Amino acid sequence: MASPPRSRSPPVTRAMRARAAASSERIPPDVLFDVLLRLPARDLCRLRAVCRSWRALTSGDALFAEAHAAAHPGPLFLAKFRDDKSSVYVVDLSGNALKRVAGVGGGPYHHLLCTSLNLACLATDWNRCSVLNPATGAVRVLPESPAEEHANRVNLSNPYTFFALGRVAATGEHKVLRMFNRLGFHNGGQQVFEVFTVNGGDGDARWRGRQGPGLFIDECSGVVVDGVVYFLTSRVYEGVRCGIRPDYIVSFDLGTEEWRSDLRGPISSNAGDRKVPHYTRCDLSLAELKGSLVLADHREQPMSMDLWFLSDVGNGLWAKEYHIRTHSIISRLVGEYHLKPLLLLDHGRLVFHLAVKGLLLVCDPGTDTFAEVGIRCLDSVGVYTGNLLSLGEGDMV
């Protein structure tokens, strides 16, 4: 079921701009502030061309931008679509593409990392990574060469890499964690970790080698929460004989650039010892919602999903805040279709990404119903926390 179309302001014509420009000097600044504050950001971006005073208010006034964001709190997303591999779009929850930044998508094998930031990170499994600032259109292509410490350890002829982008709140720095995943656990392989500071000075314009956590991790499980990258351990540890529970979590602090104390997940913390062996890593995934680490437990019998929120990081306490029956959406599909939690909305609704189908879904947990957002088929998607008024580069659509 598609979301209802969003109401739109009438198109701004050349004559309207001329009349507005002629009268703009006669409008008191406080009245102009209040009037423009009522308009959607997409229309304000077009109205910047009316006159200098309007442009100054809608593009350079931090107070106006903050007030407009508060008055128009609807969530925004960064998206790559399957029919346009070279662009990154800013879209809203109604499925409208508000902004297109062309030529920055990196091609068909670059995917947007699932982040909740004002930057976008595009990466491939083959050691290609770039960071995009949608507000300016600036792209930082990260170097492919390894850290000096790992020059003799990493085979770059056929690398398999994982990337994660996060922001360190204490410093405002954005850092990327890279992992080279070599050969595999059973072949005596290794996982090599490096860090890069995106907005650092010239001295930071290189990868820095870091120690591993001591356990093999499931690189596909990585998620960033408040500057910390969390991972489930590798599936090679499946089975009680390894002594490692399926929800065992390791984490890397981008601020200190060190691994933190391991974390026991909610399954092994709350389920009885006899029940734990029935859980496998393919049933579990990690996400970030409202600034909290979330473990999603996907069940087939019955078709459902439990969302556990990490309520106390220091003491490792979890709270199950959602139990969602997924039969209404999953039963129509064939195969293994895990829903990726993206965003927690007001009134407890949740936004999910169904990657294999390229869908964006809004779930009402109270009724266990899913509404499909009317949007083009998604290649990859993340939450955008920036201000649409700051998006000076790219095409309004």
Side-chain angles (χ1 to χ4, degrees):
M1 179 177 66
S3 301
R6 190 186 66 164
S7 60
R8 299 183 180 181
S9 302
V12 180
T13 65
R14 187 174 300 176
M16 291 171 62
R17 291 194 183 98
R19 289 195 297 271
S23 60
S24 62
E25 299 301 327
R26 298 193 295 269
I27 302 176
D30 57 336
V31 174
L32 180 63
F33 189 103
D34 291 338
V35 170
L36 295 183
L37 193 62
R38 299 173 183 269
L39 297 178
R42 177 164 55 177
D43 295 328
L44 288 181
C45 290
R46 293 192 176 101
L47 287 171
R48 287 171 175 166
V50 168
C51 62
R52 291 181 180 177
S53 61
W54 286 32
R55 182 174 183 83
L57 180 62
T58 58
S59 61
D61 191 304
L63 180 62
F64 180 83
E66 182 179 348
H68 191 273
H72 302 267
L76 297 174
F77 302 89
L78 292 170
K80 277 192 71 179
F81 296 117
R82 293 184 184 178
D83 60 0
D84 186 356
K85 303 294 187 181
S86 64
S87 302
V88 172
Y89 289 79
V90 179
V91 301
D92 64 17
L93 195 54
S94 295
N96 299 309
L98 306 179
K99 195 83 170 182
R100 173 176 176 258
V101 187
V104 298
Y109 301 108
H110 286 76
H111 298 285
L112 274 170
L113 302 188
C114 186
T115 58
S116 183
L117 296 169
N118 63 345
L119 300 179
C121 189
L122 300 111
T124 71
D125 291 341
W126 298 281
N127 200 23
R128 306 286 194 276
C129 183
S130 59
V131 177
L132 163 69
N133 185 343
T136 63
V139 178
R140 178 72 181 270
V141 179
L142 303 192
E144 296 180 33
S145 56
E148 294 179 1
E149 305 93 314
H150 296 154
N152 297 322
R153 296 179 60 189
V154 179
N155 178 7
L156 288 180
S157 63
N158 186 27
Y160 178 73
T161 49
F162 161 84
F163 295 90
L165 170 68
R167 179 179 180 272
V168 180
T171 62
E173 294 175 318
H174 289 85
K175 294 184 178 182
V176 175
L177 174 68
R178 174 170 69 176
M179 184 194 76
F180 288 96
N181 197 26
R182 298 300 308 152
L183 298 178
F185 176 81
H186 294 294
N187 295 323
Q190 57 184 323
Q191 293 177 321
V192 176
F193 297 86
E194 301 177 348
V195 179
F196 188 95
T197 303
V198 178
N199 50 341
D202 293 339
D204 290 325
R206 64 179 183 85
W207 292 100
R208 302 180 294 280
R210 292 297 179 260
Q211 295 293 323
L215 293 172
F216 270 71
I217 64 171
D218 178 3
E219 71 284 353
C220 296
S221 68
V223 63
V224 184
V225 182
D226 194 23
V228 178
V229 191
Y230 292 89
F231 301 92
L232 291 167
T233 52
S234 172
R235 296 185 185 185
V236 299
Y237 299 121
E238 291 281 13
V240 294
R241 288 178 299 177
C242 293
I244 300 174
R245 301 302 176 104
D247 59 344
Y248 198 71
I249 297 169
V250 297
S251 58
F252 182 84
D253 190 319
L254 291 172
T256 63
E257 300 186 8
E258 295 178 348
W259 294 92
R260 308 199 324 175
S261 299
D262 298 341
L263 182 65
R264 188 178 184 184
I267 306 302
S268 53
S269 298
N270 294 277
D273 290 340
R274 294 183 179 180
K275 292 184 178 180
V276 171
H278 296 291
Y279 290 84
T280 60
R281 281 173 179 77
C282 65
D283 297 328
L284 307 176
S285 63
L286 299 177
E288 182 270 341
L289 294 174
K290 286 287 187 180
S292 296
L293 176 66
V294 173
L295 184 135
D297 178 15
H298 309 260
R299 310 301 296 167
E300 293 185 3
Q301 298 296 331
M303 291 182 181
S304 63
M305 175 191 297
D306 291 335
L307 295 182
W308 294 85
F309 284 64
L310 182 60
S311 56
D312 187 331
V313 178
N315 295 311
L317 300 179
W318 299 79
K320 185 167 70 171
E321 298 194 11
Y322 291 91
H323 174 74
I324 303 170
R325 295 181 178 88
T326 57
H327 182 271
S328 63
I329 186 68
I330 301 299
S331 62
R332 294 187 282 139
L333 308 171
V334 178
E336 186 177 306
Y337 292 94
H338 278 190
L339 296 166
K340 175 72 173 180
L342 279 184
L343 189 65
L344 179 58
L345 302 173
D346 295 335
H347 309 297
R349 295 183 303 150
L350 292 148
V351 180
F352 289 95
H353 179 215
L354 186 57
V356 71
K357 290 292 186 180
L359 299 177
L360 205 60
L361 304 167
V362 178
C363 172
D364 182 348
T367 58
D368 294 320
T369 56
F370 292 81
E372 182 180 331
V373 176
I375 194 171
R376 291 153 57 188
C377 189
L378 289 164
D379 172 76
S380 47
V381 64
V383 177
Y384 181 59
T385 63
N387 192 320
L388 190 59
L389 291 183
S390 67
L391 295 177
E393 296 295 327
D395 304 319
M396 296 304 298
V397 293

